[in-house]
Amino acid sequence: MKHIVQFSGGKDSTAMLNLMIDKGIKIDEVVFFDTGWEFDSVYRNIEEHKKKLQSLNIPFTILKPQKPFDYLAFEKEVHKKDGTIQKGYSWCGGLCRWGTTEKLKALENYCKGSIEYVGLAFDEQDRIAKKRKGIKNFPLNEWQMKEIDALNDCYSRGVTYQEGEYRLYDLLVRASCYCCGNKNLKELRNIYNCLPCYWEKLKDKQSKTDRLYKKIGIDALEHRFEKELL
């Protein structure tokens, strides 16, 4: 039975992977699902660990959705229960976590029959308790490592998730997709004020869908944040 590490490139899975390597825990393969919507610092971290894994002769596999997420979000014909057709699933988040569903389905199919290692921390018991298919191991939970411990482990190894002059985790709780609909107001304010290139990407995506981001839209959020600076 293969031992496969599910690696997202975020702080928790990065700490888990490095500590498993340090502890000599068996790893037959590492797998990453590429949404195409990750932060640049996450992609850089993934590339660095890809090189590390290659030096250790550990296979690294990148999974991709059958159709790009931009297509699924803004172009695909979606037939609704009321008989209407909408263009794309729109924003991912809240009750409509279609991107998460795509990611989990791809990982489940690829890892089927293997022992899987998932980077959920000790202070995420609600997520760990959820029913899951297959054989899942949660090393960070076994080691009683909290999210802050995982982040500090990354920092101690020089993995700082630098976005310009800012560290990503100083601005966000989670390094999920930059356009995740679950981002809170503080995180969005930080993106607007500190990461303008991603804010422009959010504005571009809003222009492609009638569904307002966070129910008020990117323009309304921008107006609010601008007023706060006056």
Side-chain angles (χ1 to χ4, degrees), residues 17 25 29 40 50-51 88 105 117 123 127 129 146 148 161 198 200 203 206 210 212 220:
L17 174 60
I25 297 174
E29 187 175 1
D40 289 345
K50 180 180 177 181
K51 294 174 186 176
K105 184 168 64 175
Y117 295 86
D123 44 357
R127 296 179 68 193
K146 297 181 178 180
I148 187 61
Y161 296 96
Y198 294 104
E200 290 302 315
K203 290 174 70 174
Q206 182 66 89
D210 293 332
L212 296 175

Side-chain angles (χ1 to χ4, degrees), residues 38-97:
E38 311 299 332
F39 285 93
D40 289 345
S41 58
V42 173
Y43 279 124
R44 288 196 299 272
N45 182 43
I46 289 164
E47 284 301 311
E48 287 302 312
H49 280 83
K50 180 180 177 181
K51 294 174 186 176
K52 179 176 182 177
L53 292 166
Q54 287 175 339
S55 71
L56 297 171
N57 294 315
I58 298 174
F60 180 79
T61 300
I62 298 176
L63 303 180
K64 291 183 179 289
Q66 292 184 346
K67 296 286 185 180
F69 269 23
D70 275 345
Y71 169 81
L72 295 175
F74 308 117
E75 298 179 37
K76 179 182 178 179
E77 278 195 0
V78 178
H79 296 257
K80 302 179 73 176
K81 291 181 180 179
D82 61 6
T84 60
I85 300 174
Q86 73 178 35
K87 196 175 180 182
Y89 296 119
S90 193
W91 304 105
C92 175
L95 296 176
C96 185
R97 301 185 66 190

Side-chain angles (χ1 to χ4, degrees), residues 138-149:
F138 306 98
L140 296 182
N141 182 55
E142 294 172 15
W143 303 328
Q144 298 189 12
M145 285 191 69
K146 297 181 178 180
E147 290 186 81
I148 187 61
D149 301 322

Side-chain angles (χ1 to χ4, degrees), residues 202-214:
L202 285 172
K203 290 174 70 174
D204 177 64
K205 283 177 169 39
Q206 182 66 89
S207 72
K208 297 175 181 178
T209 177
D210 293 332
R211 184 175 149 208
L212 296 175
Y213 185 79
K214 304 295 283 188

Side-chain angles (χ1 to χ4, degrees), residues 184-193 199 218-230:
N184 61 41
L185 195 62
K186 181 180 179 181
E187 291 176 307
L188 292 169
R189 182 182 291 109
N190 285 339
I191 291 175
Y192 174 75
N193 289 325
W199 191 259
I218 296 297
D219 288 344
L221 285 166
E222 181 171 301
H223 181 66
R224 173 175 179 163
F225 298 151
E226 284 177 345
K227 287 180 64 177
E228 292 174 352
L229 293 174
L230 297 177

